[in-house]
Amino acid sequence: MTAVANRIPRELRSPRVRGAGFDVEKVRHDFPILREKVRGRTLVYLDNAATSQKPQVVIDAISRHYERGNANIHRGVHFLSEHATEEHEAARGTVQSFLNAEEASEIIFVRGATEAINLVAQTYGRTQVGPGDEVLITAMEHHSNIVPWQILCEQKGGRLRVVPINESGELLLEEFQKLLNTRTKIVAVTQVSNALGTINPVRRIIEMAHRENIPVLVDGAQAVPHLKVDVQALDCDFYVFSGHKLYGPTGIGVLYGKSALLDAMPPYQGGGDMISSVTFEKTIYNKLPYKFEAGTPHVAGAIGLGAAIDYVNGLGMDNVAAYEHEVLTYATEAVAAIPGIRLIGTAREKAGVLSFLLGSIHPHDIGTILDQEGIAIRAGHHCAQPIMQRFGIAATARASFGLYNTKEEVDALVEGIQKVREVFA
Ligand code: 7TS
């Protein structure tokens, strides 16, 4: 352990978690990739905000589907097609419970958070936003919660408005309140920032918007891996996330929408499965959720996502959140203690993410040197360029944590950063 890490208070230094119910060493055995060597070193994977690694149960669920259960769904009369349909719909039920949605038909399978936001912008947005109307987002959105709304505003003559943040990376709620007006047609806000780690008070934000009868879309891409989410308690109108950040496969994600809203929205894409009848004169659209699921869906992906949710539920999201909070607190103190470090994103409520700069060293150089030690972090603007502009920087180095990361890995990160300092001394 480094001298710096030794300055961390003893109770935070203990690699064992105090809370019962979460055994990280046992959890790590569930993830085969964590046994891989990278550049001759044991992998230290700290790029979970980009994508998380997959437990064996998810890998097995996907393999089992292709080995024994593969068929197209909703259209076959044969055994395998019925079986695949059941598994796909069971996964929808698993997502429904995970988010505590009222109905399974409020769960739309999409490719990921990005597609979900584009879907809402081009269906709900296209019908609701007219010339002079406003879409309200925040200064800490990922590009995928900015650009779809910009495209919509360009198409419809609308105006994109942005809630500012303070130096710690927290939303200014009084500014949010001031920006809400009769022209605001939708609020779209991230629950957890991918570049700063800030946890936004989305319950409060939704209450404030609803007082003015404005619906709210919550981008949960960085929230679902770290926090328990209940869409009915939040009362959000739309909630989106990607499977691959939640220990599930890539190419599958979720749009939750309140059924009254989804019912009233036009379809997003046309094709098979989203119709109940077609003639050249007129097409009658299918009921929810199929109206929004044109074409053959990612059946294996949905099944894999269901397995991932079963996995995290088995650990208990509250246990995961408590454990991760402890690791992030430990990492924040250890990294902040390194001379020359500047943390970007120091909100009181944070999850998963530690963004930093080291003197004037380019984050890519930090990332490259850490990579030589087998430590995977991300360096860049994290698809959140406006945040970088807000802080007057081009990029950050970002360590992002998942449920399998340990305090020993944090110590390895700290030692790696010390190496970077030596190289650039
Ligand atoms: N919203 C947030 C808050 C995100 O962090 C991301 C991806 C997305 C939406 C888009 O998710 P996708 O699965 O549709 O691509 N964030 C990151 C990241 O931080 N590094 O790589 C991808």
Side-chain angles (χ1 to χ4, degrees):
M1 206 184 283
T2 63
V4 170
N6 270 324
R7 285 205 292 274
I8 305 298
R10 179 168 299 280
E11 68 276 12
L12 285 173
R13 224 190 301 148
S14 155
R16 292 274 162 242
V17 187
R18 277 165 288 150
F22 195 88
D23 181 346
V24 71
E25 288 310 324
K26 190 158 167 280
V27 164
R28 290 179 67 80
H29 280 292
D30 297 333
F31 291 81
I33 207 168
L34 298 180
R35 297 192 280 277
E36 288 294 305
K37 297 273 184 219
V38 167
R39 305 200 190 283
R41 310 287 193 114
T42 303
L43 170 66
V44 174
Y45 187 76
L46 299 176
D47 194 18
N48 294 282
T51 198
S52 58
Q53 300 301 346
K54 318 306 170 198
Q56 191 66 51
V57 284
V58 168
I59 300 166
D60 288 348
I62 296 166
S63 303
R64 202 178 324 115
H65 169 72
Y66 284 124
E67 281 169 10
R68 307 187 49 199
N70 178 56
N72 209 330
I73 60 168
H74 295 316
R75 46 191 99 182
V77 290
H78 58 85
F79 174 84
L80 273 184
S81 177
E82 275 176 22
H83 174 75
T85 305
E86 276 165 21
E87 295 225 296
H88 187 256
E89 293 311 305
R92 197 188 305 278
T94 303
V95 175
Q96 178 200 353
S97 314
F98 180 67
L99 294 180
N100 192 33
E102 199 174 340
E103 294 163 35
S105 60
E106 295 175 318
I107 304 299
I108 316 289
F109 282 126
V110 290
R111 277 194 299 136
T114 301
E115 185 171 52
I117 297 168
N118 277 279
L119 189 162
V120 176
Q122 288 301 320
T123 57
Y124 185 83
R126 196 155 42 80
T127 50
Q128 300 298 317
V129 173
D133 286 338
E134 297 179 1
V135 173
L136 184 53
I137 62 170
T138 85
M140 69 173 90
E141 301 307 318
H142 185 276
H143 294 166
S144 62
N145 202 25
I146 302 174
V147 184
W149 303 114
Q150 269 173 336
I151 293 172
L152 171 68
C153 287
E154 264 169 38
Q155 289 168 333
K156 306 291 294 195
R159 184 172 173 209
L160 189 68
R161 307 212 64 189
V162 183
V163 185
I165 58 176
N166 65 20
E167 273 303 303
S168 312
E170 293 168 325
L171 272 187
L172 299 175
L173 285 185
E174 57 286 11
E175 298 300 319
F176 173 64
Q177 182 63 56
K178 282 188 216 154
L179 282 162
L180 292 172
N181 70 78
T182 51
R183 308 235 63 158
T184 315
K185 295 301 175 201
I186 189 165
V187 170
V189 57
T190 193
Q191 189 170 6
V192 174
S193 156
N194 71 313
L196 305 172
T198 310
I199 303 176
N200 284 317
V202 285
R203 177 77 201 93
R204 190 87 204 276
I205 288 166
I206 291 161
E207 250 171 45
M208 290 163 75
H210 281 182
R211 243 180 267 137
E212 322 287 329
N213 291 319
I214 303 162
V216 179
L217 176 145
V218 177
D219 176 353
Q222 298 293 347
V224 288
H226 307 299
L227 311 170
K228 192 177 236 169
V229 172
D230 180 331
V231 292
Q232 291 189 75
L234 286 177
D235 199 26
C236 54
D237 302 278
F238 300 104
Y239 193 96
V240 311
F241 72 91
S242 297
H244 69 95
K245 297 184 201 286
L246 182 64
Y247 312 101
T250 51
I252 188 80
V254 169
L255 165 65
Y256 157 82
K258 285 182 180 166
S259 58
L261 287 169
L262 293 176
D263 258 329
M265 281 152 50
Y268 178 47
Q269 295 179 328
D273 264 1
M274 54 76 72
I275 54 88
S276 67
S277 77
V278 178
T279 66
F280 287 120
E281 289 69 39
K282 185 165 177 57
T283 290
I284 312 281
Y285 303 131
N286 207 340
K287 60 183 193 209
L288 294 177
Y290 313 112
K291 180 171 90 175
F292 292 106
E293 295 182 350
T296 299
H298 187 4
V299 181
I303 292 168
L305 175 58
I309 291 175
D310 286 342
Y311 179 77
V312 295
N313 281 342
L315 299 175
M317 275 314 292
D318 288 335
N319 293 330
V320 169
Y323 173 72
E324 288 189 350
H325 180 72
E326 197 167 314
V327 173
L328 182 62
T329 304
Y330 179 75
T332 303
E333 302 214 2
V335 172
I338 301 171
I341 284 283
R342 173 183 170 201
L343 297 184
I344 305 294
T346 48
R348 275 157 297 184
E349 301 282 330
K350 281 187 64 176
V353 167
L354 189 62
S355 259
F356 59 91
L357 296 171
L358 180 59
S360 57
I361 302 168
H362 196 284
H364 283 150
D365 291 331
I366 301 175
T368 304
I369 293 170
L370 290 177
D371 179 53
Q372 295 303 315
E373 306 296 315
I375 303 168
I377 63 152
R378 179 136 181 197
H381 53 61
H382 316 296
C383 297
Q385 283 182 336
I387 301 183
M388 302 298 129
Q389 289 149 17
R390 164 66 180 76
F391 286 95
I393 57 182
T396 75
R398 180 187 71 182
S400 57
F401 300 91
L403 50 77
Y404 37 63
N405 289 125
T406 64
K407 291 182 180 176
E408 287 92 337
E409 290 181 313
V410 172
D411 294 339
L413 171 69
V414 169
E415 273 170 39
I417 297 172
Q418 297 288 15
K419 276 218 174 92
V420 177
R421 289 184 67 226
E422 284 158 26
V423 170
F424 282 88

